[in-house]
Amino acid sequence: MPQITVDYSAELDDSFDRRGFALALHPVIAETVSTRIAACKSRFHRADDFVVGDAEAGDAVVNVSIALLPGRTPEVKAQLTEAVLALLAGHLKPADGLTVHASAEVRDLDASYRKG
């Protein structure tokens, strides 16, 4: 049920351990929101173009979005968001001259969500 989408700058291709991040993230999500690890599904979207503020270059972005079935409190969502950001830092290798802007969001799936 948890739908995890990670958008990341192309500049991070060689410095972002995506598979390792997903495999570490799934148990954190399962424990925090009381679901099964097998229910977690992560997909990564590489973005060739990102612009941060008025920077010409030297910035990269990683955004993790986690969509859950409704019912989690704002406190649980905030706890998961903080855990995601802490975990993310361990899966990004520093790149020379590159500033990484990381963000995370936990939100409810729409009532129309179905799986087959």
Side-chain angles (χ1 to χ4, degrees):
M1 162 265 312
Q3 300 291 319
I4 304 109
T5 304
V6 183
D7 294 309
Y8 69 96
S9 297
E11 293 85 353
L12 298 174
D13 268 345
D14 296 331
S15 60
F16 182 19
D17 176 13
R18 295 177 295 280
R19 182 167 182 75
F21 174 66
L23 292 174
L25 178 62
H26 294 173
V28 170
I29 293 172
E31 182 177 326
T32 305
V33 302
S34 300
T35 191
R36 297 174 302 113
I37 293 172
C40 297
K41 298 160 196 77
S42 290
R43 60 188 174 276
F44 294 84
H45 298 152
R46 173 189 153 154
D48 291 328
D49 297 312
F50 262 108
V51 178
V52 177
D54 61 356
E56 291 293 323
D59 289 300
V61 174
V62 178
N63 177 264
V64 181
S65 177
I66 301 172
L68 305 169
L69 291 173
R72 277 56 179 214
T73 65
E75 293 79 18
V76 167
K77 291 177 186 176
Q79 177 186 353
L80 181 54
T81 301
E82 292 298 326
V84 168
L85 290 174
L87 188 63
L88 184 60
H91 291 274
L92 287 169
K93 297 176 194 161
D96 290 336
L98 194 62
T99 301
V100 178
H101 301 269
S103 59
E105 172 193 23
V106 177
R107 61 180 176 78
D108 290 342
L109 286 163
D110 189 79
S112 66
Y113 173 78
R114 301 290 186 273
K115 69 178 191 173

